[in-house]
């Protein structure tokens, strides 16, 4: 078949793009090699930006999602400094779970992605085809893209290709030039557990910065039904230099670390430990080219500090839909025109990605983490400032300024 817009990958980025196109009255073809619902290896945490992007798709979507049993509302983050000091950072400095809307949620990707797909299925403008594996792609002399199955059969041709097929995207690597760069890539592992003790009553997610494991970190994210997503992440560059065996280290930390061993003593692991790679947005890369746009993980847009990728995929999906519509209206699919998409995405995300890159570098200074955690534990004003940093980029910018640490040193 021939279509104007084809989207490769029906995860959060691709599904968001398809839904925005449908809302604007544009038809598109959405392809995914899996059949939904399907699992996706991830940390499963959904930030407030995800809820904002859901609202942009449909005003009622956040409330519908919050009412689903597939999610838990989360009210903050528990940071554990290298010295073991716990620093509780609520997403809102003062919150009431009985009255306030949660700023974040935790939901397995199996369920969240399918929540979006169920919305996709409601829109006749979206031709959604599951279990369709695009093995090859080629650009024809007239600029259109031809998508082929493994047996050489043509799946579709399109004038504009939105590439949202994830971190391992062959297209992003070969056509888009997004080579794996160890200093801008993270290796991660994830497992599901049941019966982890001591989870926060308001479902705070946990980030453990363990001295012997820096510059990586371990996470524990509570899930519905008494489960938890537990994993580790570390820069690929550091994994290689330090010759870290992530699977062995994860098991060792859970069994021996003073803050975790008792909590996991009777916990049951559900299924295997699964690995994944994260192309980080710590470097600006091109997100478009002749007749194509790169979205989400395929565009290397993952937060360098937190590892968050879902909201960034949805942001890129929204802008991809906008620029796809502009390209159709102008009948212009040239690289020069589509550069507007790059500008739109980075205008929204680059300051945040840059600051997260700076925070990532702080992992090389465990004493600084300890210092901030110790001060914040005894200084409610500082603790509230750190809480607000998750919502206010101007406050987060302070972490890059020496004056912030001088004031801390002087007890101000």
């Amino acid at each position: 078949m021939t279509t104007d817009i084809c989207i490769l990958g029906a995860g959060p980025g691709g599904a968001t793009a398809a839904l925005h196109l449908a809302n604007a009255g544009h038809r598109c073809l959405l392809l995914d090699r899996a059949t939904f619902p399907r699992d996706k290896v991830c940390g499963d945490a959904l930030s407030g930006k995800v809820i904002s992007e859901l609202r942009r798709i449909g005003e009622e979507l956040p409330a519908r999602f919050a009412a689903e049993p597939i999610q838990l509302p989360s009210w903050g983050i528990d940071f554990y400094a290298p010295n073991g000091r716990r620093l509780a950072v609520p997403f809102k400095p003062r919150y009431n779970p009985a009255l306030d809307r949660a700023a974040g949620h935790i939901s397995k990707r199996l369920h969240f992605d399918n929540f979006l797909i169920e919305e996709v299925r409601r829109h006749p403008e979206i031709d959604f085809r599951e279990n369709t594996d695009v093995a090859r792609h080629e650009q024809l002399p007239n600029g259109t893209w031809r998508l082929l199955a493994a047996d050489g059969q043509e799946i579709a041709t399109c004038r504009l290709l939105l590439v949202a097929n994830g971190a391992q995207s062959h297209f992003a690597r070969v056509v888009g030039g997004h080579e794996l760069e160890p200093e801008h890539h993270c290796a991660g592992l994830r497992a599901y557990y049941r019966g982890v003790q001591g989870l926060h009553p308001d479902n705070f997610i946990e980030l453990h910065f363990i001295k012997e494991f820096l510059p990586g970190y371990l996470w524990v994210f509570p899930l519905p039904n008494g489960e938890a997503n537990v994993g580790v992440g570390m820069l690929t560059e550091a994994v290689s230099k330090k010759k870290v065996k992530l699977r062995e280290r994860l098991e060792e930390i859970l069994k021996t670390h003073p803050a975790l061993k008792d909590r996991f003593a009777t916990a049951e692991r559900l299924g295997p430990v699964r690995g994944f790679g994260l192309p980080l947005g710590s470097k600006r890369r091109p997100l478009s080219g002749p007749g194509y746009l790169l979205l989400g993980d395929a565009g290397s847009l993952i937060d360098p500090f937190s590892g968050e990728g879902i909201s960034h995929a949805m942001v890129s999906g929204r802008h991809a839909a906008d620029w796809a519509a502009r390209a159709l209206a102008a009948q212009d699919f040239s690289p020069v025109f589509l550069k507007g998409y790059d500008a739109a995405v980075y205008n929204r995300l680059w300051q945040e990605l840059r600051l997260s890159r700076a925070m990532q570098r702080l992992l090389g200074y465990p004493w600084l983490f300890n210092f901030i955690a110790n001060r914040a534990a005894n200084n409610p004003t500082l603790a509230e400032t750190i809480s607000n940093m998750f919502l206010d980029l101007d406050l987060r910018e302070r972490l890059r300024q020496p004056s912030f640490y001088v004031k801390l040193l002087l007890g101000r």
Side-chain angles (χ1 to χ4, degrees), residues 181-201:
E181 298 179 64
E183 67 273 29
H184 300 288
H185 188 272
C186 182
L189 296 177
R190 177 221 72 187
Y192 289 124
Y193 281 81
R194 179 186 289 123
V196 178
Q197 301 299 309
L199 296 173
H200 196 286

Side-chain angles (χ1 to χ4, degrees), residues 39-44 109 188-190 192 274-276 278:
D39 190 21
K40 175 79 173 178
V41 184
C42 179
D44 297 335
R109 290 289 298 278
L189 296 177
R190 177 221 72 187
Y192 289 124
R274 298 183 61 190
F276 58 114
L278 304 173

Side-chain angles (χ1 to χ4, degrees), residues 2 4-5 24 31 33 38 62 77 153 200 210 347 364 381:
T2 300
D4 285 328
I5 303 170
L31 305 175
R33 63 182 180 183
R38 59 95 178 94
I77 303 177
Q153 287 276 74
H200 196 286
I210 297 165
N347 184 56
T381 302

Side-chain angles (χ1 to χ4, degrees), residues 98-272:
L99 299 175
D100 297 338
R101 289 182 178 177
H105 296 261
I106 313 117
S107 178
K108 290 183 179 180
R109 290 289 298 278
L110 175 77
H111 299 133
F112 177 71
D113 288 17
N114 198 57
F115 175 82
L116 288 175
I117 289 301
E118 288 305 309
E119 191 65 20
V120 163
R121 297 187 199 277
R122 294 187 177 96
H123 287 76
E125 302 91 343
I126 304 172
D127 182 359
F128 177 43
R129 301 189 186 184
E130 303 168 89
N131 197 28
T132 302
D133 190 10
V134 176
R136 290 194 294 121
H137 38 72
E138 58 185 36
Q139 194 164 33
L140 303 177
N142 66 356
T144 61
W145 287 97
R146 187 168 179 244
L147 308 178
L148 304 166
D151 61 3
Q153 287 276 74
E154 182 178 292
I155 297 171
T157 60
C158 64
R159 303 174 74 188
L160 182 61
L161 186 61
L162 275 55
V163 181
N165 56 355
Q168 310 304 320
S169 172
H170 180 262
F171 188 103
R173 189 171 64 254
V174 173
V175 180
H178 287 222
E179 305 249 343
L180 191 157
E181 298 179 64
E183 67 273 29
H184 300 288
H185 188 272
C186 182
L189 296 177
R190 177 221 72 187
Y192 289 124
Y193 281 81
R194 179 186 289 123
V196 178
Q197 301 299 309
L199 296 173
H200 196 286
D202 293 332
N203 305 319
F204 279 34
I205 64 175
E206 300 177 25
L207 298 179
H208 294 259
F209 297 93
I210 297 165
K211 184 177 181 181
E212 299 77 21
F213 193 66
L214 293 175
Y217 66 85
L218 180 144
W219 68 80
V220 181
F221 296 169
L223 284 164
N225 304 314
E227 296 182 18
N229 181 316
V230 181
V232 290
M234 181 180 282
L235 270 180
T236 302
E237 181 182 52
V239 171
S240 178
K241 282 183 179 178
K242 297 190 172 192
K243 298 181 170 57
V244 178
K245 296 180 179 178
L246 287 180
R247 289 175 190 271
E248 292 179 10
R249 289 293 285 126
L250 174 60
E251 186 175 354
E252 178 191 350
I253 290 170
L254 296 181
K255 283 183 177 179
T256 65
H257 193 273
L260 295 166
K261 63 180 182 179
D262 291 341
R263 298 177 59 194
F264 280 84
T266 58
E268 173 193 4
R269 198 181 80 203
L270 308 173

